[in-house]
Amino acid sequence: MPEGITWAKISTLLINGAVSYSMAKTRHEVRDPIHGFVHFGNLERSLIDSVPYQRLREIHQLAMSYEVYPGACHTRFEHCLGVMEVAGRIFDSVFTAQLSDQIRDRISDELQPNHLEYWRTVLRLAALLHDIGHLPFSHAAEKALLPEGWDHERMTAEILRNSEIKQILEDPSPSVKVEDVIDVAWDFRKRKDARLTPWKTLLNEILTGNTFGADRIDYLLRDSYHVGVPYGRIDPLRLINGLRLILDPDNGEIALGVDKGSIHAAEALLLARYFMYVQVYFHDVRRIYDIHLKDFLAEVLPEGKFPTDWQAYVAITDSEILNNLRKSFSDPNDKLHVLATRVVGRRHFRTVYELVSPHKNACPTILGDVIKYCEETFGAENVRSDYYPPKSEQNLFWVITDGGSLQRASEISSVVANLPTFEVGLVFVDPNLKNEAKPKVDEFVRKRLDEAQNE
Amino acid sequence: MNFRKHSLLLTAIEEFHSHGEMPTGIHIHKAMSFAQSMDLLEVPFAFILYKHGPYSVDIEFELDQMRSYSAVVAGKNPFLSQVLRVGSNGDLVRKKAPLQFCEVSGISRVCAFLSKRSLIQVDLFATAAWISYHERISNPEQLASRLHSLKPFISKQDAIAGGLAVSQFDQMRLAG
């Protein structure tokens, strides 16, 4: 400070308005309907302002679900902000709680204050950027429209390594390693090329974990809010405040467990997920829109695939696809007019068969049999099908009891122990054939189930 | 529906029970990986080595399929996570894809070896077998040191014992 100038003098001048005083703002916040506010710093703001992140404003979170649920117009943009907020809260909850000596010894290096702050930043950045490689309309066409070996996680890594994001991450001092962000953001269960350290695996689980992942907590809350169904409403603060680091007795590794006081919040999360999947994510009309969209894109895209060149990739959003759809729809001579009409004109295929558990028990191959029958009877071009395999969410997490011992959640909670699995199998036909096809399919199913009993 | 894969998994479940073990999904993952590493039979599942040892997304998928049509049921056990048992459609699987005698006996040997062990040991053995197969490390000292580097919470002594047990199993296999 120059000689003769004191803070007292500065403050007097300020109060009198003699000088203008400005200080660069380092903390920022935006309102969010789910979490109240999302807070972020300068580095995070620079990333939010980047072109790849701004693109997420034009990627619908739930693809074309708005055709069924008009409120489902939210995007990956606000979801990723929400995940960053939740991930930070989980980190704070877990590392401000008292850690056992064994855990403390195991991660003593990472617990150094400057290291811990670095990893908190990495986790929040990974949360913010984890969906940056999403295709237009999110998951609707990922498997079919990306070349073999590619998915949105790999695309995310590609963009992080090559775009302006890398520069932004490496700019501050100390800088953030891009590969650290990728390791934490990329669900390790889907990654065959890397073995993460136990520490990174833990952070990865905080973000992508099946049971308590920040991604899941945010999407359940956000999707249910926008869709307008009450199933996804859970108590995130109670859950997050009850998360603790434990040593998993099964394998001796550090894992996330939950304090007994938060077990009901954990149950609510698991139930919310079940109902959201059954009622919203696998709604039959929503699924057929995905299929029609995929059919259209397979024709529009060069060689039926999205580019894997990251610059070409980030140039495509839902808006470009919707423009193409509307153009083809408005021109009856366009070669894709019929496909576009399925979506824009709402002439989507209609459901004629839905797999149910008793059918599969009686005849494990029933879905494939129905699809084959429909294709042979009505022509393959008039039939579409969708299948989501059963996925037992075993929810093998540990609960810290009042006495401090660990108990399996399934021992304490009958909700956790008995959570049903779900499986989706759907067969659709052209709307012009629906009335003819439905009774025929019903009759075929009845006969096939009878035959299976005698096999 | 891949009944051959289901038949292999069903056999592993049965063999664990016949050796007095109450198998969970973890046992099945480790047993199949162990059988693959020991070259006992053709195991049509892909594995990754993650923090809890070898794990197969394929096996997870197929076990879920089997549960969905009651080829396998998961029972409750107060001390373990869900115990797998053969369900009402187990016979259907056997009929659709019967296994050869050598396949059943290979699975049986693995299940006998892994039965009545703690899950930490099961993981240790499967990981040791993985290392010796995929990383071509057969020297017991080197094997133990690699195990210890992957799982620092396992003592060197336990790692050596684990590596030795696996190499003994391998020698018995080679001796026929």
Side-chain angles (χ1 to χ4, degrees):
Chain A
M1 194 176 294
E3 210 175 325
I5 305 283
T6 62
W7 282 112
K9 279 183 186 172
I10 291 173
S11 61
T12 308
L13 290 169
L14 282 169
I15 290 163
N16 295 337
V19 292
S20 65
Y21 178 72
S22 75
M23 180 186 278
K25 205 177 165 197
T26 56
R27 298 301 300 164
H28 314 276
E29 60 193 17
V30 288
R31 280 195 184 277
D32 180 74
I34 308 302
H35 306 298
F37 281 98
V38 172
H39 301 88
F40 47 91
N42 283 343
L43 172 59
E44 288 148 347
R45 190 169 78 164
S46 301
L47 291 165
I48 292 166
D49 287 343
S50 70
V51 172
Y53 192 87
Q54 287 293 316
R55 168 181 174 269
L56 297 183
R57 287 185 189 274
E58 292 180 68
I59 307 287
H60 284 92
Q61 171 79 4
L62 292 180
M64 291 198 144
S65 296
Y66 56 76
E67 293 284 350
V68 182
Y69 300 101
C73 290
H74 55 305
T75 69
R76 294 271 154 193
F77 184 88
E78 58 260 41
H79 165 62
C80 290
L81 286 172
V83 180
M84 176 175 71
E85 182 67 25
V86 174
R89 290 180 190 178
I90 294 177
F91 188 95
D92 294 342
S93 168
V94 160
F95 290 102
T96 50
Q98 196 174 358
L99 302 178
S100 73
D101 290 344
Q102 269 179 302
I103 292 176
R104 205 163 260 291
D105 286 349
R106 196 83 72 78
I107 53 175
S108 57
D109 188 37
E110 286 87 356
L111 289 178
Q112 301 292 321
N114 55 336
H115 290 193
L116 202 59
E117 189 53 38
Y118 172 78
W119 287 112
R120 184 181 189 276
T121 302
V122 167
L123 174 66
R124 278 176 53 90
L125 295 179
L128 181 70
L129 301 170
H130 79 285
D131 274 349
I132 215 151
H134 251 297
L135 271 74
F137 292 104
S138 296
H139 293 284
E142 186 166 309
K143 274 188 192 148
L145 300 175
L146 275 176
E148 181 73 27
W150 286 83
D151 55 20
H152 80 266
E153 282 104 344
R154 185 171 166 195
M155 229 34 246
T156 295
E158 193 75 5
I159 294 167
L160 295 191
R161 284 181 185 129
N162 296 295
S163 71
E164 63 190 275
I165 288 175
K166 180 177 161 67
Q167 183 71 40
I168 296 170
L169 289 172
E170 290 176 346
D171 238 14
S173 179
S175 65
V176 176
K177 286 184 190 154
V178 177
E179 291 306 318
D180 285 343
V181 176
I182 291 170
D183 285 345
V184 176
W186 192 342
D187 185 346
F188 73 92
R189 286 159 291 232
K190 297 181 185 168
R191 214 173 157 187
K192 289 179 182 167
D193 67 328
R195 284 182 204 150
L196 301 187
T197 60
W199 173 255
K200 280 186 178 171
T201 309
L202 176 67
L203 295 186
N204 191 285
E205 281 198 29
I206 290 178
L207 175 55
T208 70
N210 267 338
T211 311
F212 304 123
D215 186 24
R216 173 178 287 191
I217 291 174
D218 185 82
Y219 79 63
L220 287 175
L221 288 164
R222 194 171 300 279
D223 293 350
S224 62
Y225 173 85
H226 286 281
V227 164
V229 297
Y231 319 118
R233 311 275 162 81
I234 58 167
D235 186 358
L237 294 180
R238 190 74 190 91
L239 177 65
I240 291 169
N241 289 344
L243 292 178
R244 299 283 179 271
L245 289 190
I246 56 149
L247 282 181
D248 187 329
D250 276 349
N251 49 46
E253 300 263 12
I254 299 175
L256 280 182
V258 68
D259 193 82
K260 194 176 176 188
S262 296
I263 183 76
H264 299 307
E267 290 173 343
L269 177 86
L270 300 176
L271 282 171
R273 181 172 184 271
Y274 173 76
F275 286 122
M276 283 296 285
Y277 269 78
V278 173
Q279 295 282 326
V280 178
Y281 303 137
F282 289 103
H283 188 289
D284 59 340
V285 180
R286 178 190 128 67
R287 300 295 287 182
I288 190 63
Y289 271 109
D290 280 1
I291 293 171
H292 289 318
L293 182 68
K294 194 165 57 188
D295 289 348
F296 181 81
L297 288 171
E299 296 295 325
V300 165
L301 296 168
E303 296 176 30
K305 301 281 179 197
F306 278 105
T308 51
D309 167 63
W310 71 270
Q311 281 166 310
Y313 187 89
V314 296
I316 310 172
T317 69
D318 293 6
S319 305
E320 281 71 37
I321 308 296
L322 284 170
N323 278 341
N324 272 293
L325 273 166
R326 282 197 206 98
K327 198 167 137 255
S328 296
F329 175 65
S330 61
D331 177 4
N333 296 319
D334 189 295
K335 65 175 183 162
L336 300 178
H337 176 72
V338 173
L339 289 177
T341 305
R342 302 260 179 250
V343 179
V344 186
R346 298 187 66 83
R347 294 285 297 158
H348 60 82
F349 280 23
R350 269 36 177 196
T351 311
V352 287
Y353 178 72
E354 192 165 344
L355 181 67
V356 288
S357 174
H359 287 184
K360 191 164 182 190
N361 259 319
C363 176
T365 58
I366 186 73
L367 180 66
D369 297 342
V370 172
I371 294 169
K372 191 165 169 244
Y373 167 78
C374 286
E375 288 180 346
E376 284 171 2
T377 311
F378 311 112
E381 70 281 9
N382 295 316
V383 179
R384 296 288 181 278
S385 61
D386 188 28
Y387 181 60
Y388 183 83
K391 226 176 174 182
S392 60
E393 294 289 334
Q394 293 186 28
N395 304 308
L396 305 174
F397 64 92
W398 294 90
V399 178
I400 305 151
T401 64
D402 297 337
S405 62
L406 293 174
Q407 262 187 297
R408 288 178 199 281
S410 55
E411 290 173 51
I412 292 180
S413 160
S414 54
V415 173
V416 175
N418 296 300
L419 205 65
T421 56
F422 56 88
E423 178 177 17
V424 178
L426 296 162
V427 183
F428 310 90
V429 298
D430 185 291
N432 295 326
L433 293 167
K434 162 90 191 247
N435 291 340
E436 178 197 341
K438 185 74 177 89
K440 283 186 175 173
V441 170
D442 289 347
E443 177 62 12
F444 172 80
V445 170
R446 196 185 55 74
K447 276 190 185 163
R448 185 70 194 91
L449 294 176
D450 282 349
E451 281 168 17
Q453 265 193 330
N454 302 320
E455 276 175 7
Chain B
M1 194 70 62
N2 191 325
F3 287 112
R4 176 169 160 73
K5 285 184 175 179
H6 294 189
S7 201
L8 289 166
L9 298 177
L10 199 73
T11 303
I13 292 167
E14 282 175 318
E15 289 300 325
F16 269 121
H17 280 288
S18 74
H19 290 99
E21 183 58 90
M22 291 190 284
T24 64
I26 299 169
H27 288 95
I28 306 303
H29 283 266
K30 307 308 177 203
M32 282 293 143
S33 169
F34 194 91
Q36 187 182 63
S37 299
M38 290 288 146
D39 216 7
L40 284 166
L41 65 148
E42 199 182 315
V43 176
F45 304 109
F47 292 89
I48 54 167
L49 183 63
Y50 94 122
K51 67 173 188 170
H52 303 326
Y55 171 85
S56 168
V57 177
D58 294 347
I59 289 181
E60 207 60 46
F61 175 89
E62 299 300 346
L63 282 175
D64 283 340
Q65 280 290 348
M66 293 170 79
R67 288 170 66 160
S68 75
Y69 68 93
S70 307
V72 163
V73 289
K76 305 283 180 301
N77 180 306
F79 306 109
L80 279 171
S81 52
Q82 295 195 316
V83 174
L84 301 174
R85 294 181 192 284
V86 177
S88 54
N89 268 329
D91 283 342
L92 176 83
V93 174
R94 288 189 202 96
K95 210 155 56 173
K96 294 262 185 194
L99 296 187
Q100 291 174 10
F101 174 76
C102 59
E103 292 176 313
V104 176
S105 84
I107 294 172
S108 178
R109 287 173 66 184
V110 172
C111 295
F113 180 67
L114 296 179
S115 287
K116 300 284 181 188
R117 313 256 194 196
S118 71
L119 285 176
I120 291 181
Q121 274 185 311
V122 171
D123 175 15
L124 180 68
F125 293 152
T127 307
W130 169 284
I131 294 167
S132 66
Y133 177 74
H134 288 273
E135 300 179 10
R136 302 277 167 224
I137 299 175
S138 51
N139 175 293
E141 278 290 319
Q142 287 176 331
L143 188 62
S145 128
R146 177 75 179 119
L147 265 175
H148 187 67
S149 75
L150 281 172
K151 296 172 183 294
F153 57 92
I154 289 174
S155 70
K156 278 245 163 81
Q157 216 171 1
D158 285 349
I160 290 170
L164 277 175
V166 170
S167 67
Q168 275 166 8
F169 181 96
D170 198 27
Q171 278 159 16
M172 278 163 61
R173 174 186 70 85
L174 293 171

